[in-house]
Amino acid sequence: MTDVATLKAQIHDCLDTADDNGGLDEPHYEKLTGLIDELSQHSPYVAHSRPDMVAGSWATLFASFGARHSSGKTVRHAADLQIHSLGKLPKAPMQVLSIVQEIDEQGEAYNNVVDFECGSDNTPGRLIVRGRFSCDQDAPIRYQVRFYRAEVHGRDGSTEEAVRSGLGLDAEQALSVEFTPPPFYSDILFVDEEMRINRGNFGGVYVLTRRDAAPLSL
């Protein structure tokens, strides 16, 4: 009988070998993907029937972005505001520090929260990309996701003006925008009380852990 706890521990062991930015060398990445494939066969809950288990605030431990522009990047990486806002906000350089995903049970929130620093003073900021989800009746592990709003905020005491300056944006450029939702989906390969593993429609794989802290966007 497969020991789920052992597989999860092995995943954590793999992630413990990551560099300071959260990147894995090729042997450990291959091992991680194999462990994820195995663990996915033994998820104690299915997203469609237990949205309460999927709901909550989740910190990203590992991300292998599947989109071409982000392939090979880690959670902590140099990026720009345009990429992480699905192309809806201006192209402005920033350093991504963490990614949190927050989901409610009713489908009204499927939010990505990206904490970043920007500018020569490393001004702290936060990008929230707000979405909603619905269950796919033909695929019990799949959430159809519709992102509709991107918004930038100050963080840890930084003002909107400071974040705008750090991003190099003038007063005329919006820090929030609503848009027509593009089609996305996310397959929830594994979920239990403490770990969730997702695969997106671009092929990205994400390992997340449930946060004890208060939600950032709900």
Side-chain angles (χ1 to χ4, degrees):
M1 180 177 178
T2 301
D3 186 342
V4 169
T6 297
L7 290 172
K8 288 169 58 179
Q10 290 173 342
I11 286 175
H12 282 293
D13 287 345
C14 261
L15 298 181
D16 285 344
T17 71
D19 60 28
D20 291 341
N21 289 324
L24 298 176
D25 60 26
E26 192 63 31
H28 283 100
Y29 179 75
E30 289 182 3
K31 182 176 181 180
L32 177 66
T33 56
L35 289 168
I36 287 173
D37 287 344
E38 187 172 357
L39 185 61
S40 299
Q41 305 304 311
H42 305 282
S43 180
Y45 304 106
V46 176
H48 183 273
S49 58
R50 290 298 302 270
D52 58 313
M53 294 305 305
V54 181
S57 182
W58 298 83
T60 303
L61 298 177
F62 177 82
S64 175
F65 300 98
R68 180 179 60 79
H69 57 66
S70 300
S71 179
K73 292 186 177 179
T74 56
V75 172
R76 296 177 64 94
H77 65 279
D80 68 64
L81 186 63
Q82 188 178 73
I83 287 174
H84 281 273
S85 65
L86 305 179
K88 306 306 179 182
L89 289 173
K91 189 177 180 65
M94 64 183 190
Q95 180 71 28
V96 174
L97 303 180
S98 67
I99 302 173
V100 169
Q101 192 170 81
E102 299 189 322
I103 303 172
D104 75 350
E105 293 184 38
Q106 288 74 38
E108 291 302 313
Y110 191 104
N111 302 336
N112 289 335
V113 182
V114 179
D115 278 1
F116 63 87
E117 293 177 345
C118 57
S120 58
D121 294 331
N122 297 324
T123 302
R126 174 170 293 152
L127 167 67
I128 303 175
V129 181
R130 297 189 181 274
R132 302 182 179 94
F133 74 90
S134 59
C135 293
D136 190 321
Q137 300 298 321
D138 296 324
I141 67 170
R142 179 164 294 179
Y143 278 6
Q144 300 289 349
V145 181
R146 305 173 304 284
F147 293 110
Y148 64 91
R149 181 179 177 86
E151 55 195 48
V152 173
H153 304 273
R155 176 175 57 83
D156 298 340
S158 64
T159 64
E160 177 181 311
E161 182 181 7
V163 175
R164 187 183 293 276
S165 175
L167 290 169
L169 303 179
D170 61 39
E172 302 302 316
Q173 292 176 293
L175 290 183
S176 66
V177 62
E178 295 198 12
F179 50 87
T180 301
F184 288 102
Y185 68 78
S186 184
D187 287 342
I188 300 166
L189 305 179
F190 177 90
V191 63
D192 68 3
E193 290 77 6
E194 62 180 12
M195 179 179 282
R196 178 160 59 87
I197 300 175
N198 284 30
R199 178 178 289 126
N201 54 306
F202 290 117
V205 176
Y206 309 89
V207 181
L208 306 99
T209 186
R210 195 182 296 274
R211 298 174 68 245
D212 294 328
L216 303 172
S217 71
L218 298 179

